Amino acid sequence: MHCTGKWKEAFLEEGMDKMNNPIYVTRPFLPPREEYDHYLDQIWQSGVITNAGPLHNQLEEQLRKYLNVPYAMLFTNGHLSLEFLIQAAGLTGEVITTPFTFASTVHAIVRNGLTPVFCDISEDDYTMDTSKIEELITDKTSAILPVHVYGNPCDVESIRKIARKHSLKVIYDAAHAFGEEVNGIGIGNYGDGSIFSFHATKVFQTIEGGAAVVKDMETGYKLYQLKNFGITGETTISSIGANAKMNEFQAAMGLCNLKHVEELITGRRNIVQRYEENLKDVAGIRLNRRKENIKYNYAYFPVLVEEGFGADRDKVCEVLNKEQIYPRKYFYPLINHCRCYRERFDPGLTPVAEYISDNIITLPLYPQLSMEDVDRICELLKACR
Ligand code: T4K
């Protein structure tokens, strides 16, 4: 068994396998019921269900330690943590970002009244191509906002050097990078701040949820205010904030899941290894190249279906869908090509991102997935040729 423990048995007993269910790109991990019930009892006793309650505060502190960062602020979802982090960091004008991401990244920039400038990505790991950043910098640029897409850490050292040379801020969208380390350092320590997503589809989930992590107390305090309407005292409102607080039910889920997260990451790693064994020598299939000195979280398993394969990405999806297997085309279409952006902002020249977006597929990956299903998915994929 690739992932052990009581929860795995409970999952199987509850009949997920028996039901001959469709296989989705991911499934959330749900902790054993008694573990969640334990926290529900506490909520019923305290009568506090939101507004920085005791479970919220416990989770915030535990996550700060787990992520090994100076300050961590919980949010009701990852997207709002990014919107507010951009606001708290005081970005202005243009922000250089990647088009190869989920809509949230660019929405957060634009919803702050800023202009996204799209930088192409690297063929190796699909993160921002740092050799193309400097040519996009203008006198209006205030920041670089790269994404550790699929949990592939960006070239953080090159980004740091460019940012320092041009006095730019760096905010990382680390929605996919929960618990990762680069050179032994928690990934949230790079740049001026980062955000993580704890959505149901993520490595660590709090139903919906997210966190912004920062190095300085001043920005941390701004975030703390902004997510609660800018309120700083019973009769004081100091800034124009909104409502983005994580509630106690979400925090309870997080407290349960944090205890299992290392085991879940190991389970994911075993699935990824099985995929790699099955697919590594298949002509026309390109797998994600991993770097040294990274602690990965195995958030996604992207596969590039190239010309030499004999069938295209859409055909692979079609064949798998017929068998009730639902991989996803993350991230297609590219954000700079979406209707809401293409008529408003310069889409830039991002040919590598276009190519990757047109040919990538992310295969099902979650710790509860059986090795037999991984093998079956690979056989079906290979048979598309
Ligand atoms: N930045 C980046 C780079 C991101 O990728 C994201 C979110 C964000 C920022 C914003 O973070 P959040 O505000 O979401 O915390 C999903 C997620 O909703 C989204 O969180 C994620 N990225 C994005 C990449 O994927 P969809 O529309 O593809 O999700 P959906 O509902 O189709 O779910 C995918 C599959 O997961 C389903 O086919 C079945 C399974 N599933 C899903 C849910 C919600 C379950 O089994 N149970 C569930 O409860 O966006």
Side-chain angles (χ1 to χ4, degrees), residues 30 63 134 147 293 350 355 357:
L30 288 166
L63 281 175
E134 282 193 286
V147 179
N293 299 327
T350 60
Y355 174 74
S357 173

Side-chain angles (χ1 to χ4, degrees), residues 26-28 78-79 101-102 104 173 175-176 197 199 202 328 330:
T26 191
R27 298 294 280 169
H79 175 79
T101 183
F102 192 54
S104 168
D173 181 336
H176 302 173
S197 164
H199 183 259
K202 297 297 189 294
R328 291 295 280 267
Y330 293 135

Side-chain angles (χ1 to χ4, degrees), residues 16 23-28 75-82 98 100-106 108 147-150 173-176 195-202 205 207-211 300 326-328 330-331 366:
M16 297 305 284
I23 299 176
Y24 296 107
V25 67
T26 191
R27 298 294 280 169
F75 280 81
T76 193
N77 58 54
H79 175 79
L80 286 174
S81 65
L82 185 55
T98 164
F100 191 69
T101 183
F102 192 54
S104 168
T105 315
V106 182
V147 179
H148 301 304
V149 68
Y150 302 137
D173 181 336
H176 302 173
I195 69 95
F196 296 94
S197 164
F198 309 149
H199 183 259
T201 53
K202 297 297 189 294
Q205 64 89 5
I207 310 171
E208 293 270 2
Y300 292 87
Y326 301 100
R328 291 295 280 267
Y330 293 135
F331 290 96
Y366 44 96

Side-chain angles (χ1 to χ4, degrees), residues 4-300:
T4 53
K6 240 167 70 180
W7 62 265
K8 167 87 184 186
E9 284 153 35
F11 185 87
L12 294 176
E13 264 169 34
E14 274 172 31
M16 297 305 284
D17 277 8
K18 276 184 261 158
M19 284 157 69
N20 192 18
N21 266 346
I23 299 176
Y24 296 107
V25 67
T26 191
R27 298 294 280 169
F29 166 74
L30 288 166
R33 274 293 292 276
E34 63 275 16
E35 292 182 17
Y36 196 59
D37 286 346
H38 164 77
Y39 289 108
L40 292 186
D41 289 344
Q42 293 186 28
I43 294 174
W44 257 254
Q45 266 165 26
S46 73
V48 179
I49 59 177
T50 188
N51 284 8
L55 300 182
H56 168 282
N57 294 344
Q58 269 180 54
L59 180 63
E60 206 164 66
E61 181 53 16
Q62 287 188 20
L63 281 175
R64 195 186 62 71
K65 287 195 183 134
Y66 180 81
L67 297 170
N68 212 348
V69 289
Y71 301 100
M73 239 61 58
L74 291 177
F75 280 81
T76 193
N77 58 54
H79 175 79
L80 286 174
S81 65
L82 185 55
E83 269 198 37
F84 283 104
L85 180 54
I86 292 171
Q87 186 181 349
L91 306 192
T92 57
E94 295 174 0
V95 175
I96 298 173
T97 192
T98 164
F100 191 69
T101 183
F102 192 54
S104 168
T105 315
V106 182
H107 287 354
I109 294 171
V110 175
R111 287 170 59 81
N112 269 287
L114 306 171
T115 301
V117 174
F118 296 103
C119 181
D120 209 356
I121 59 170
S122 137
E123 282 228 28
D124 272 357
D125 60 9
Y126 321 131
T127 64
M128 201 182 268
D129 180 344
T130 54
S131 72
K132 301 205 173 118
I133 296 177
E134 282 193 286
E135 66 201 51
L136 300 172
I137 297 174
T138 70
D139 54 4
K140 295 196 190 102
T141 309
S142 65
I144 309 172
L145 203 161
V147 179
H148 301 304
V149 68
Y150 302 137
N152 290 341
C154 297
D155 180 351
V156 289
E157 280 311 317
S158 300
I159 292 169
R160 187 181 59 79
K161 283 188 195 136
I162 296 167
R164 182 175 285 187
K165 183 170 156 198
H166 297 273
S167 305
L168 302 176
K169 290 206 167 160
V170 179
I171 304 280
Y172 282 105
D173 181 336
H176 302 173
F178 182 79
E180 295 196 322
E181 290 175 3
V182 179
N183 297 324
I185 296 170
I187 201 161
N189 291 285
Y190 291 93
D192 297 280
S194 298
I195 69 95
F196 296 94
S197 164
F198 309 149
H199 183 259
T201 53
K202 297 297 189 294
V203 169
F204 167 75
Q205 64 89 5
T206 60
I207 310 171
E208 293 270 2
V213 301
V214 289
K215 286 184 186 142
D216 65 297
M217 202 164 72
E218 199 191 329
T219 315
Y221 187 53
K222 274 190 203 158
L223 284 165
Y224 173 76
Q225 292 176 23
L226 286 171
K227 69 173 176 173
N228 188 24
F229 308 101
I231 296 172
T232 46
E234 211 176 308
T235 54
T236 328
I237 299 173
S238 306
S239 52
I240 306 170
N243 183 359
K245 291 162 283 152
M246 177 180 279
N247 69 49
E248 291 289 273
F249 294 85
Q250 292 172 285
M253 185 62 83
L255 286 165
C256 293
N257 286 343
L258 198 55
K259 295 194 186 94
H260 296 278
V261 76
E262 286 298 323
E263 188 187 356
L264 296 174
I265 291 173
T266 303
R268 287 176 171 275
R269 191 194 62 207
N270 295 341
I271 301 273
V272 164
Q273 280 170 355
R274 185 73 158 230
Y275 268 128
E276 286 174 347
E277 280 161 26
N278 273 303
L279 298 175
K280 67 178 187 301
D281 294 325
V282 179
I285 291 295
R286 204 195 321 164
L287 306 181
N288 217 173
R289 200 178 305 155
R290 298 202 184 278
K291 291 184 193 159
E292 297 286 307
N293 299 327
I294 309 285
K295 181 187 170 211
Y296 285 100
N297 67 5
Y298 306 94
Y300 292 87

